[in-house]
Amino acid sequence: MDISSQYSVAVGSIKGSFKGSVMHSAVKAFMSGNDVVGIGTLSDGHTMLSVCESGLIFDTAADNCSAIASLNGSTEFDISRASLHITAKGDNALGIGGTKGDTKISIVNCDSSVSLVTKLNYIDYTKAENVNITGGRARFNVNGEVKTFEN
């Protein structure tokens, strides 16, 4: 998908909450605009996404953006035996989760890469106790600062 719009969500909803799963599939989205989310919702609702044995690629460029989130609400994201590659650029860019509400992330046996160029302090929006990375490989690049996890 290639989406350019002021307000957009590739998979999910503009308002309300979103609950979904991606299994044995591939999702690739290139998005730009003002407020954009790859999978989830722009609203203050709740996003719950489960991914298994799939590939996700998101490239977002917007003032306010996240690849997987309720942009203004809470997010729960579970991914296992899959690949995840996110690039997010913008003043208020996040890879997973939004700027309000709790974000819970579980990454199990995955090849993951998240690259952010943002004015936000990512740590303010994702608490360490709400992130589980087990098995596989995860690489996070926030404004050029790289952290790698391998199990």
Side-chain angles (χ1 to χ4, degrees):
M1 291 178 260
D2 194 343
I3 301 169
S4 182
S5 176
Q6 186 173 1
Y7 306 103
S8 63
V9 177
V11 177
S13 66
I14 297 291
K15 295 183 179 181
S17 293
F18 174 78
K19 181 178 180 179
S21 63
V22 177
M23 300 182 78
H24 311 290
S25 300
V27 177
K28 187 183 227 184
F30 299 93
M31 303 178 70
S32 63
N34 188 35
D35 297 339
V36 302
V37 169
I39 298 178
T41 180
L42 290 178
S43 76
D44 57 358
H46 180 77
T47 290
M48 183 181 284
L49 179 65
S50 175
V51 177
C52 183
E53 297 179 358
S54 298
L56 303 178
I57 298 173
F58 293 100
D59 190 326
T60 60
D63 295 338
N64 307 293
C65 62
S66 187
I68 299 163
S70 285
L71 199 56
N72 294 303
S74 60
T75 304
E76 291 181 57
F77 177 57
D78 296 304
I79 184 169
S80 63
R81 299 180 313 277
S83 67
L84 172 67
H85 299 279
I86 295 171
T87 301
K89 298 175 185 171
D91 287 348
N92 301 306
L94 293 168
I96 302 169
T99 57
K100 299 177 184 167
D102 284 337
T103 296
K104 296 179 182 175
I105 303 168
S106 176
I107 301 172
V108 178
N109 296 324
C110 295
D111 176 25
S112 305
S113 172
V114 177
S115 179
L116 304 176
V117 176
T118 183
K119 290 182 179 177
L120 296 177
N121 182 1
Y122 194 79
I123 301 305
D124 292 342
Y125 302 100
T126 307
K127 299 174 187 162
E129 62 267 17
N130 289 342
V131 178
N132 172 45
I133 300 172
T134 307
R137 179 176 48 185
R139 181 176 188 267
F140 298 92
N141 179 337
V142 180
N143 298 323
E145 184 178 324
V146 178
K147 293 184 181 179
T148 303
F149 304 89
E150 289 191 43
N151 298 321

